[in-house]
Amino acid sequence: MDQAPSATLAIGIEQRLSAPRTGLFGLQHLLALTGIWIFPVLIGQSLNLSQVQVSHIVQGCFLMTGIITVLQSSRLLKLPIVQGPTAGFFVALSAAGATFGLGTAFGSMMVAGLICMVLSIPIKHFGLFGHISKLSSSPIVFGTLFVIIGGQLASIGLSGWFGVPGTPGYGSPNFWVSIITVITVLGCLIFGGNSVVRRAAIIWGIAAGTLVAAVAGLWTPAGAGSVPLVHAPTWLPFGFGVEWSVVVVMLLAFFQAGAESAGMYSLVGSWGGQQVGLSRTNRGLFTEFFGTTVGSLFGGIGTTSYPENAGIIRVTGVGSRFVTATAGGAAIVLAFIPGVSLFIAGLPSPVLSAASTILFGIIAMSGVQLLATVDWDDLNLAVAAPAFIIALGLQFLPAEITAGISPSVAAIVGSPMMLGIIMLVVLHLIVNVGIRPILERGRPANAEPLAVGQSSSHV
C-alpha cells in the first residue's frame, strides 16, 4: 500500500512516480555524487597512477555506490538513501596507499568492513555499531572532525591550480582555467536557488572548466576507443594485502562514515513520518558495510550517506525510495561502461583541484555549522581544543621525528583525521559522558544544570 505524503514530503517514501519523472529525479541524485568525480583522480595524482588505474577506481566507486544505494532503497533499509565516496576514506586510502600501496589499503579496508559488518549484524539488539555511533555522534565530535578534515585537505587543492610542471598550460593559463571553475561553482551555489543547478554546483564547475581547457587547447579527452564499450570492473586492480595499522585506520573511517549515515537515516525517515529504530539503523549500517567490503575488491572508495542527496529530497519534496533506487541502478550500469570512467580519470587536474578546493572548504564549514550548535563551556573546550590543534599540528612534525616512526604507527599518527577522531571520541566519552554527570551531581540544587554540549558561559 502506498504511503501518504507527510507534511515535509510531497511524494512519500513508499510512493511511485512515472518513469520519466523517476529518471529525472534519479539523475539529480546521481549528479550530486561529487566524490566519484574528484576523489579517484586526486588519489591518482598523489600516488602517480596512470589514467587507466584511476579509471579502475572510478568504476569501483560507481559499482559500490550503486549496490549500496539500491539495497538501502529497496530491500533492507527501505529509505531514500544515496551513498557515495566520502572524504574520510579518501584521506585514509591516500595515506595508506602512499605508505603501503593501494593493494594493502583496499585489502585492509575490506578486513575492516568485515569487522564492522559483524558489529552491526541486524539481529534484535545484537548490532553493537548502532549503540556506539549514537553514543558518540555528538556535534562537538563530528563538527570538530570536519574542520580537521578540511584543514588536512587544504594542501591538496590550491597547489594544483597551476597544473603540473612540464604539462601544457602550466602556470598562468591553467590558473585562469581554475579561476573560471571556481567562479562557476560559486555562481551556481549563489544563484542556483533550490534547483539541481545548486545541488550539482561542483559538477557544473568541472564541466565549465573542462570546456574552457579544451577550447584553449590545454586538454584533450582520454580516448574511449582504447577500452571496450562494456566491461566489468577490475577485480583487485592493485593486488591484495593487509596491514594491521591500516585496518585500524579504516575502522576509524568506517566509524565516522557509519555515525554520519545513522544520523541521516533518522533525519530522512522523520521527513517521511517513519521512526528509524536501532534495529533498522543496524540494517542500514550492515548494508553500507557489506557494500563497501564488496566494493573494496574492485577499488571502490568507502561510502557514507550523502547530505547533498538528503538536501535534494528536502527541497524537492520527492522522498520516493524508488527514485533513489533508480539512481543506484544507473550507477551500476555506469560501472560497466569503462569509457565513462576513463573520461572522468582524464579530466584536467587544475579543474579538479579548483573544484576540490571549494568542496573541501564546504566540508570544513559544515563542521563550523555543527559547532555553532555547541555551547562552549570549559568541558567542551577540553574536548575540542586539544584534539583540533594536536591533529593539525601533526602536519608540521620535524622530519627527524617522523623518520624514526615505524610505518605501522605512522599510518595512524601521520593522519590528522585519524588521530583527531581518536582524540575526539575518547575525550568526549571521558569528559562529557563520564566526568560531566559527576560534576552535575556536585553542583548546588539551584544551579543551572550543564547538559552535554551546553553551558551558560561562552567564549
Side-chain angles (χ1 to χ4, degrees), residues 327-340:
I332 293 176
V333 171
L334 291 175
F336 286 82
I337 306 177
V340 174

Side-chain angles (χ1 to χ4, degrees), residues 30-340:
L30 205 57
L31 289 174
L33 294 172
T34 53
I36 292 180
W37 293 76
I38 290 179
F39 293 147
V41 181
L42 293 181
I43 289 177
Q45 291 176 3
S46 65
L47 301 179
N48 296 316
L49 302 181
S50 68
Q51 285 188 8
V52 172
Q53 289 176 311
V54 173
S55 72
H56 293 328
I57 301 177
V58 177
Q59 276 189 278
C61 288
F62 274 126
L63 181 66
M64 181 185 294
T65 291
I67 289 174
I68 301 175
T69 300
V70 168
L71 290 176
Q72 298 286 46
S73 302
S74 56
R75 303 303 305 170
L76 294 173
L77 184 62
K78 293 187 177 181
L79 283 177
I81 294 295
V82 178
Q83 306 259 175
T86 181
F89 281 104
F90 160 68
V91 172
L93 287 167
S94 298
T99 305
F100 299 102
L102 280 177
T104 297
F106 282 113
S108 299
M109 187 171 81
M110 186 205 73
V111 172
L114 291 172
I115 293 172
C116 289
M117 285 172 62
V118 172
L119 292 176
S120 59
I121 291 176
I123 301 176
K124 294 184 178 180
H125 296 290
F126 180 77
L128 299 177
F129 200 97
H131 293 284
I132 296 171
S133 63
K134 291 194 176 197
L135 179 64
S136 55
S137 58
S138 165
I140 197 170
V141 172
F142 286 100
T144 308
L145 178 63
F146 290 156
V147 176
I148 291 172
I149 291 174
Q152 180 176 355
L153 296 175
S155 61
I156 296 177
L158 187 61
S159 61
W161 286 29
F162 301 92
V164 179
T167 59
Y170 176 68
S172 178
N174 278 332
F175 176 75
W176 286 110
V177 170
S178 298
I179 291 293
I180 291 172
T181 302
V182 169
I183 291 175
T184 303
V185 172
L186 295 179
C188 291
L189 288 173
I190 295 170
F191 301 110
N194 289 327
S195 69
V196 69
V197 174
R198 180 168 69 86
R199 295 294 171 187
I202 300 292
I203 301 298
W204 306 134
I206 292 173
T210 300
L211 178 61
V212 171
V215 171
L218 304 177
W219 172 81
T220 54
S226 62
V227 294
L229 179 62
V230 177
H231 194 276
T234 303
W235 173 265
L236 297 178
F238 305 100
F240 183 83
V242 177
E243 160 62 35
W244 72 266
S245 60
V246 181
V247 172
V248 173
V249 168
M250 294 300 170
L251 284 171
L252 296 173
F254 272 106
F255 177 84
Q256 180 262 321
E260 188 175 349
S261 291
M264 202 63 63
Y265 302 160
S266 178
L267 178 65
V268 173
S270 69
W271 293 342
Q274 298 187 9
Q275 293 290 328
V276 182
L278 185 61
S279 177
R280 193 174 181 183
T281 295
N282 277 311
R283 285 206 308 273
L285 293 173
F286 181 86
T287 303
E288 178 177 327
F289 301 151
F290 166 77
T292 299
T293 301
V294 173
S296 66
L297 298 174
F298 298 91
I301 300 171
T303 74
T304 191
S305 175
Y306 263 37
E308 292 89 342
N309 296 95
I312 290 174
I313 292 170
R314 184 68 178 83
V315 169
T316 62
V318 177
S320 171
R321 60 187 178 90
F322 302 101
V323 168
T324 52
T326 299
I332 293 176
V333 171
L334 291 175
F336 286 82
I337 306 177
V340 174

Side-chain angles (χ1 to χ4, degrees), residues 21-32 196 200 312 323 326-327 330:
R21 294 186 70 197
T22 298
L24 176 62
F25 286 112
L27 176 62
Q28 287 194 56
H29 283 292
L30 205 57
L31 289 174
V196 69
I312 290 174
V323 168
T326 299

